[in-house]
Amino acid sequence: MSLDQILVLLGGLAAIAWVNWYFFLAQRATVSARLDPSGTQQIEIAVAGGYSPALVRVKAGRPVRLVFDRRETNPCSEELVIPDFGIRRFLPPNQRTMVEFIPELPGSHEFTCGMGMLRGKVVAE
Ligand SMILES: [Cu+2]
């Protein structure tokens, strides 16, 4: 193997490591929703190149309100999909959009952009 080939190989490995870190480890900070007086669990999620927080803990059997604060115009994030609750919603740029559902049972529910590139998860327990 020539030096060039080794450098290309190392560069490729570094890129793979970064992609894995970016998609699986970064933005994985878990945040628990807080209860408002009506008993709804509300949490705000910033949308800018990803979801932050991307992992939200809620209590099963109580209404959940996710407030998506989209801070970009990148078309990748313009659509929000939560398949488990049949939700598909347009998120206008630089606005907040509320989405509500009730996770009746403990379990984990993914939310993604329309293309499935940006990912987050609501864990009901
Ligand atoms: Cu996308």
Side-chain angles (χ1 to χ4, degrees):
M1 229 192 277
S2 73
L3 182 60
D4 281 1
Q5 287 174 317
I6 291 172
L7 287 178
V8 167
L9 184 66
L10 289 178
L13 289 175
I16 290 168
W18 181 83
V19 165
N20 277 295
W21 171 82
Y22 183 81
F23 284 103
F24 298 112
L25 297 174
Q27 312 172 349
R28 277 289 175 259
T30 309
V31 173
S32 296
R34 79 187 153 68
L35 269 184
D36 76 7
S38 72
T40 297
Q41 317 176 75
Q42 176 165 322
I43 188 143
E44 209 164 303
I45 298 174
V47 182
Y51 301 113
S52 176
L55 188 52
V56 177
R57 282 188 197 286
V58 299
K59 290 197 168 46
R62 291 177 184 225
V64 172
R65 182 185 303 128
L66 303 180
V67 182
F68 286 90
D69 182 9
R70 185 162 171 237
R71 301 173 183 169
E72 63 181 0
T73 53
N74 181 347
C76 180
S77 61
E78 72 186 7
E79 200 176 25
L80 170 80
V81 185
I82 313 179
D84 290 352
F85 300 100
I87 292 171
R88 183 174 278 271
R89 194 74 53 83
F90 178 72
L91 305 179
N94 304 310
Q95 279 187 46
R96 293 154 153 215
T97 306
M98 286 197 282
V99 172
E100 295 186 333
F101 55 88
I102 303 178
E104 298 287 358
L105 300 171
S108 129
H109 308 284
E110 203 171 43
F111 54 89
T112 69
C113 69
M115 314 154 222
M117 289 165 64
L118 311 179
R119 291 170 179 280
K121 208 183 270 182
V122 174
V123 178
E125 41 196 27

